């Protein structure tokens, strides 16, 4: 990475996106923490969708195409995120509303403080005040009340301003060229890095308000001429409501980890379980919940291979995102003392991986889970083939044929079927999914915070384990840098 006096952060957004709205409440503070020059660069989300052939509903909302189970999980996650950041939210019943005139208006005022203030006012108008941002008179009134000096120069002719239209179109085209398939997007123009294909690139694009810790780590690394592993308190850049240092549990907590070996994302989630156990100690019980993801997908109406149901541009990003998370967790591991084996991820040549027998082996011999995950996603072993699976088990000291014979027993098959039915009944839509239970004084186990889907919400999992309650807690999620990581208290 090259060094520079002040790094640049280009932020792409459309006020019609709720996740861009969430990012708008956090991006200024991120830029200030990293001493970055923040450039507000709005883009047309609809044009990005069209250019990348993104699947979306007739109304133009990407979530409209979700199956009902995924919609429910996503809605729960959204509400939890809003509570974590204490964000006001009153979405318009007509969402999505056309935002082109609002975005053009932003290019009629100078970038910097004026565009920032007007951007925040427009987001509030859309997502809190339920104002009609398609109405030009309403937009001009919002600009006037924002108090920015440039408001006096705005009028009905501003919406047809040729330069503003040109800048909006150029910004959208730039974002698409850089790999955008949605918003919010974050572009770091000065970073040199090596992508998942081993090619050196200049300029780094990140997507999503839930990847802002990657943006922050990259900006810090840029200024210190280091990699992510050189960033102090790297794990604590993921926003937490409960301070990262407060880890000792005074009451029993149970963490369910619902998984299928077929998912590379569940593999990443699995690699962090040992860290969670060390962090929270003996009062945390981790319960492994294997089930057949393919059967669940079929029953809830999800595609068997989700990667084929997204736009090609997003698929490229997803693969790079997985590499970023692998690098991130490896860097976290090294920064916290290197207690865990470094993740040596390898995309499986045989995909999707057929896992019924593998999952049943995990049920009859739970100690084989690390071996099986490594075989699937590090060793590139085709464990869908029972001969290969037996060899993997034999080399680890097990009687492979014997273990597989026990795994094929009717009672074990029935256990896997029941686990899969339980996953559906719980409302699970994918893996990894986490459920956190806290034991009450009367012995009951109460579910905390609902379902948490995705290893990228590990900070939410940690908060729920530590005692954060989305219904009653007043803490605000924020990065919490620290000089030293929490002291490990136990091994998994």
């Amino acid at each position: 990475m090259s060094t520079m006096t002040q790094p640049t952060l280009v932020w792409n957004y459309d006020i019609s996106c709720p996740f861009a709205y969430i990012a708008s409440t956090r991006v200024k503070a991120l830029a200030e923490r990293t001493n970055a020059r923040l450039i507000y660069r709005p883009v047309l989300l609809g044009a990005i969708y069209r250019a990348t052939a993104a699947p979306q509903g007739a109304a133009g909302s990407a979530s409209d195409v979700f199956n009902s189970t995924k919609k429910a999980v996503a809605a729960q996650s959204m509400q939890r995120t809003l509570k974590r950041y204490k964000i006001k939210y009153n979405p318009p019943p007509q969402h999505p509303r056309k935002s082109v005139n609002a975005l053009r208006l932003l290019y009629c005022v100078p970038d910097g403080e004026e565009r920032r203030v007007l951007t925040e006012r427009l987001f509030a108008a859309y997502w809190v005040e339920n104002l009609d941002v398609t109405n030009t008179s309403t937009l001009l009134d919002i600009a006037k009340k924002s108090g920015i000096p440039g408001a006096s120069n705005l009028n009905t002719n501003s919406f047809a301003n040729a330069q503003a239209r040109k800048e909006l179109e150029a910004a959208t085209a730039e974002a698409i060229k850089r790999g955008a398939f949605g918003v919010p997007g974050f572009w770091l123009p000065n970073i040199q890095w090596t992508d998942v294909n081993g090619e050196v690139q200049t300029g780094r694009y990140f997507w999503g308000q839930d990847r802002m810790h990657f943006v922050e780590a990259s900006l810090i690394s840029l200024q210190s001429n280091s990699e992510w592993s050189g960033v102090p308190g790297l794990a604590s850049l993921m926003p937490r409501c409960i301070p990262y240092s407060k880890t000792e549990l005074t009451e029993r907590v149970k963490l369910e980890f619902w998984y299928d070996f077929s998912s590379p994302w569940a593999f990443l989630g699995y690699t962090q379980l040992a860290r969670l156990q060390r962090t929270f100690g003996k009062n945390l019980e981790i319960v492994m919940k294997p089930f057949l993801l393919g059967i669940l997908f079929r029953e809830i109406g999800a595609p068997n291979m989700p990667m084929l149901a997204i736009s090609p541009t997003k698929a490229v990003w997803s693969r790079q995102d997985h590499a970023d998370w692998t690098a991130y967790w490896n860097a976290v591991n090294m920064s916290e003392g290197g207690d865990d084996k470094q993740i040596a991820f390898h995309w499986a040549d045989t995909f999707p991986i057929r896992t019924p027998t593998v999952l049943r082996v995990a049920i009859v011999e739970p100690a084989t889970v690390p071996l099986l995950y490594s075989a699937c996603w590090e060793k590139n072993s085709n464990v869908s083939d029972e001969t290969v699976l037996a060899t993997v088990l034999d080399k680890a000291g097990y009687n492979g044929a014997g273990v597989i014979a026990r795994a094929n027993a009717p009672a074990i098959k029935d256990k896997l079927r029941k686990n899969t039915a339980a996953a559906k009944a719980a409302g699970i839509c994918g893996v990894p999914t986490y459920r956190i239970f806290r034991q009450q004084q009367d012995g009951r186990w109460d579910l905390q915070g609902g379902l948490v889907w995705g290893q990228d919400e590990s900070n939410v999992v940690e908060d729920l384990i530590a005692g954060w309650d989305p219904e009653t807690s007043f803490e605000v999620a924020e990065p919490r840098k620290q000089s030293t990581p929490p002291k490990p208290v136990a091994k998994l």
Side-chain angles (χ1 to χ4, degrees), residues 334-346:
M334 293 306 296
S335 69
E336 296 187 352
D339 289 298
D340 298 316
K341 179 178 70 70
Q342 289 290 89
I343 304 167
F345 182 81
H346 187 289

Side-chain angles (χ1 to χ4, degrees), residues 101 104 108 155-165:
N101 280 335
R104 287 176 182 169
C108 290
N155 53 52
T156 55
N157 294 327
S158 300
F159 302 106
N161 183 292
Q163 184 60 32
R165 293 179 66 172

Side-chain angles (χ1 to χ4, degrees), residues 221-234:
S221 299
L222 182 63
Q223 294 180 83
S224 60
N225 198 28
S226 66
E227 302 293 334
W228 284 355
S229 56
V231 175
L234 180 64

Side-chain angles (χ1 to χ4, degrees), residues 144-160:
K144 180 180 178 181
K145 290 179 179 178
S146 71
I148 60 174
S152 60
N153 299 321
L154 302 175
N155 53 52
T156 55
N157 294 327
S158 300
F159 302 106

Side-chain angles (χ1 to χ4, degrees), residues 91-273:
Q94 302 86 1
H95 175 73
R97 284 173 163 163
K98 292 186 180 298
S99 56
V100 60
N101 280 335
L103 301 178
R104 287 176 182 169
L105 199 65
L106 286 167
Y107 279 109
C108 290
V109 301
D111 185 31
E113 188 64 9
E114 289 194 55
R115 191 174 293 170
R116 178 192 69 79
V117 171
L118 184 55
T119 292
E120 292 177 358
R121 283 294 302 118
L122 289 170
F123 269 121
Y126 193 111
W127 293 105
V128 181
E129 299 160 6
N130 200 12
L131 298 179
D132 184 4
V133 297
T134 66
N135 185 290
T136 55
S137 297
T138 299
L139 290 173
L140 292 174
D141 187 57
I142 291 170
K144 180 180 178 181
K145 290 179 179 178
S146 71
I148 60 174
S152 60
N153 299 321
L154 302 175
N155 53 52
T156 55
N157 294 327
S158 300
F159 302 106
N161 183 292
Q163 184 60 32
R165 293 179 66 172
K166 183 178 179 180
E167 282 201 57
L168 178 58
E169 290 170 1
T172 304
E174 283 174 359
I176 293 168
K177 184 178 180 180
R178 291 165 178 168
F181 51 87
V183 293
F186 306 88
W187 174 252
L188 309 178
N190 303 105
I191 286 186
Q192 288 189 339
W193 60 290
T194 303
D195 66 18
V196 71
N197 298 315
E199 298 179 1
V200 177
Q201 305 284 353
T202 299
R204 190 73 162 89
Y205 173 81
F206 292 102
W207 172 74
Q209 65 85 23
D210 52 0
R211 300 300 190 270
M212 290 175 73
H213 60 293
F214 286 171
V215 177
E216 186 159 0
S218 297
L219 288 168
I220 296 171
S221 299
L222 182 63
Q223 294 180 83
S224 60
N225 198 28
S226 66
E227 302 293 334
W228 284 355
S229 56
V231 175
L234 180 64
S236 59
L237 293 183
M238 290 187 76
R240 286 278 304 274
C241 292
I242 305 297
Y244 189 58
S245 57
K246 293 183 179 180
T247 58
E248 185 177 354
L249 297 179
T250 57
E251 53 194 349
R252 293 185 64 196
V253 176
K254 185 183 299 181
L255 169 63
E256 290 182 349
F257 182 77
W258 294 77
Y259 72 100
D260 187 327
F261 291 108
S262 64
S263 167
W265 295 102
F267 166 67
L268 284 186
Y270 170 76
T271 66
Q272 298 309 299
L273 295 182

